[in-house]
Amino acid sequence: MEKIRVAQFGCGPIGCSIVRLAATRPNIDIVGAIDLVNAGRDLGEVANINRKLGVSISPDPDAVLSQTKPDIVLHATGSSLPVIYPQLEKVIKAGINIVSTCEELTYPYNKQPELATAIDKLAREHQVTVLGTGVNPGFLMDTWPLFMTAVCQEVKQIRAVRIQDASPRRIPFQKKIGAGKTIQEFDDLVKAGTLKHVGLPESIAMIAAGLGWKLDDIAETIEPVVAGTEVKSSHITVKPGQVAGVKQVGHGLKDGKELITLEFQAYIGAEKSYDTVYIDGIPNMEVTITGGTPGDIATAAIVINSIPRVIDAPPGLVTMKDLPVVSAPGFSA
Amino acid sequence: MEKIRVAQFGCGPIGCSIVRLAATRPNIDIVGAIDLVNAGRDLGEVANINRKLGVSISPDPDAVLSQTKPDIVLHATGSSLPVIYPQLEKVIKAGINIVSTCEELTYPYNKQPELATAIDKLAREHQVTVLGTGVNPGFLMDTWPLFMTAVCQEVKQIRAVRIQDASPRRIPFQKKIGAGKTIQEFDDLVKAGTLKHVGLPESIAMIAAGLGWKLDDIAETIEPVVAGTEVKSSHITVKPGQVAGVKQVGHGLKDGKELITLEFQAYIGAEKSYDTVYIDGIPNMEVTITGGTPGDIATAAIVINSIPRVIDAPPGLVTMKDLPVVSAPGFSA
């Protein structure tokens, strides 16, 4: 079996979770790692694997790409497409395929059509394929709802809901969603832009494209989930009237009607976690992932599971709805 | 908008449900119809549409194909691939794409590898694409479970369950599953082969291929669901000890272990209908379609929804896992 040569671009928490999974796959050879932080350290050590990978983290993308000649780069450096575009450009010009966790890359045609066109054109020129994916955006609120419509004769409205109890999550996540803050502090976090989940407009645009809807508007609202009674996690206590977490809703509108609704809630004290897709159509559908989908595990999974599909895809910018079914490998032990 | 020219091959109950949906789609033009029964009658009349379609049913495939030159044939004449192969051959040799409801065509590589190879070769020669699909096999117990593994780091076992309360279904369906029979009569129906749901081995083979498992064996069991207390539908009363319906299970085995289990139950008195996928992996997943999926509506939907993907696919025999996401059109009124 010829191994797939992979380089990791971005070795933060998400990048490291991707590396940890990649290191378990017998068909993957990790050959390079790019990050400004931890330069010179072994990637296995930084990613908390119990062995060295023999890959030294380098701050120089050009050097890594030209010296290691990977088949594909796994990219996880940021959410903003304009910010990361120069990084993608370097990789594409080196003739290397990309799977990126950049949320705005999952379906960039609506919000950033010029960048989408530029990436597609450059990728075709250099005969490589570029994909943005992740658990959300990339799966739960776009590809999965669209996939379920396969058995519908028509769709009138579509709604996806992701409810997460934040209590068992990492402390930084609980803080990020504003748990334990006052409403004023929450509003300040929203204004500072640090609290926002990125990707709802991209998911709405992907669903609309799949269903053939030309929307008039895509809007977003973000508000605190305020505790009615005291709720607590192991580290944070939220008093009544304080913020337990966040509720963010994306709205896809046409002729004054809301055709697509994506609702994301993460807060301490949620009765249960789940992901549900509701399709108002023929037939109506209600599909639920009981207990929800653990985000960090799932994002690393879908990035790694996408690799063979991206390598086999025709050159250009692709999105999850354009790829054949991405699936996991069966455990072989 | 250039319309897609469609011919219907097989105008029984499934074929007619496909025609009824096709007739509602603005991008589809129904140009021909093939069936040995109802020859000379208008397709709209036979399919119970409230208007004539201007398409006369013909028993002669060659004449219909050469005179109407469709872009694609929607084929619904039977479950057995060897039986329908000569029909497919005619259509492929006429240079026309096919979407078929033939259960054994949904993933024929395991049980009928020679026919699969022959169809693939012929389709490539004539530059057409051939797909077998439907709600089950084709979606609920193969493509959908595989699709859900996208967010799994690995899969240890997979199980799909379809439970249907037969009470609200058509009387012929209730009779077909043996409702109201004695156990002896049920066994006779099984021996006669009229009771069996076709497709579990095909679904198991598709999942195994997607997950990279080389199975040792695929087995099937079929048994009656026996009523413990009296249950009834509007037409059939099942006394205690009589058969309320059928339970059929497919088993995908490797090294003595059951890696894939597909369980189909349809009986009068089922507490509720549902479809569930259980993945034992990282993470574990449990995904449920509440209320289940209405089979007849869904099969017509997935056949029609697949058309653009089949037309765009490279030539050859394809399966649902090879196609990009198949989705419904959004209702535009």
Side-chain angles (χ1 to χ4, degrees), chain A residues 21 71 75 117 127 139 150 158 160 162-163 198 206 227 250 266 268:
Chain A
L21 179 57
D71 299 309
H75 175 269
T117 305
Q127 294 287 299
F139 188 81
I158 196 160
R162 175 158 173 78
I163 307 291
V198 179
M206 190 200 288
I268 293 175

Side-chain angles (χ1 to χ4, degrees), chain B residues 304-316:
Chain B
I304 298 289
N305 293 339
S306 298
I307 293 174
R309 293 306 197 182
V310 169
I311 288 176
D312 288 347

Side-chain angles (χ1 to χ4, degrees), chain A residues 17 21 24-25 134-135 139-140 143-144 146-156 210-213 254 259 282-294 296-303 305 309 320-332, chain B residues 17 21 24-25 134-135 139-140 143-144 146-156 210-213 254 259 282-294 296-303 305 309 320-332:
Chain A
S17 72
L21 179 57
T24 69
R25 294 281 173 98
V135 67
F139 188 81
L140 290 175
T143 318
W144 179 43
L146 261 184
F147 178 87
M148 296 312 301
T149 71
V151 291
C152 295
Q153 300 203 346
E154 61 183 33
V155 175
K156 291 171 192 151
L211 300 179
W213 279 332
K254 185 175 165 61
L259 298 184
I282 303 173
N284 294 327
M285 303 275 291
E286 180 183 327
V287 196
T288 297
I289 301 174
T290 306
T293 312
D296 298 342
I297 292 175
T299 289
I302 202 166
V303 166
N305 293 340
R309 294 305 197 183
M320 287 300 288
K321 78 178 180 63
D322 309 317
L323 291 183
V325 172
V326 167
S327 54
F331 188 64
S332 53
Chain B
S17 72
L21 179 57
T24 70
R25 293 281 172 98
V135 67
F139 189 82
L140 290 174
T143 319
W144 178 43
L146 260 186
F147 178 87
M148 296 311 300
T149 71
V151 291
C152 295
Q153 300 202 344
E154 61 183 35
V155 176
K156 290 170 194 153
L211 300 179
W213 278 331
K254 184 174 164 63
L259 298 184
I282 303 173
N284 294 326
M285 303 274 292
E286 181 182 326
V287 196
T288 297
I289 301 173
T290 306
T293 311
D296 296 343
I297 292 175
T299 289
I302 202 165
V303 165
N305 293 339
R309 293 306 197 182
M320 287 301 288
K321 80 177 179 63
D322 308 317
L323 290 183
V325 172
V326 168
S327 53
F331 187 64
S332 54

Side-chain angles (χ1 to χ4, degrees), chain B residues 105-127:
Chain B
L105 184 63
T106 53
Y107 198 85
Y109 302 99
N110 184 63
K111 210 160 78 180
Q112 316 199 62
E114 296 81 8
L115 278 181
T117 305
I119 293 167
D120 186 54
K121 186 163 173 283
L122 199 64
R124 286 170 196 263
E125 273 171 31
H126 292 273
Q127 293 286 300

Side-chain angles (χ1 to χ4, degrees), chain A residues 68-117:
Chain A
T68 67
K69 299 192 190 318
D71 299 309
I72 194 160
V73 157
L74 309 181
H75 175 269
T77 69
S79 304
S80 163
L81 186 54
V83 169
I84 64 136
Y85 176 73
Q87 300 169 353
L88 300 183
E89 200 180 12
K90 263 189 209 300
V91 180
I92 296 170
K93 284 184 172 169
I96 300 163
N97 299 295
I98 301 173
V99 178
S100 173
T101 61
C102 173
E103 287 89 340
E104 291 186 352
L105 184 63
T106 52
Y107 198 85
Y109 301 99
N110 184 63
K111 209 159 80 179
Q112 316 199 63
E114 296 82 7
L115 277 181
T117 305

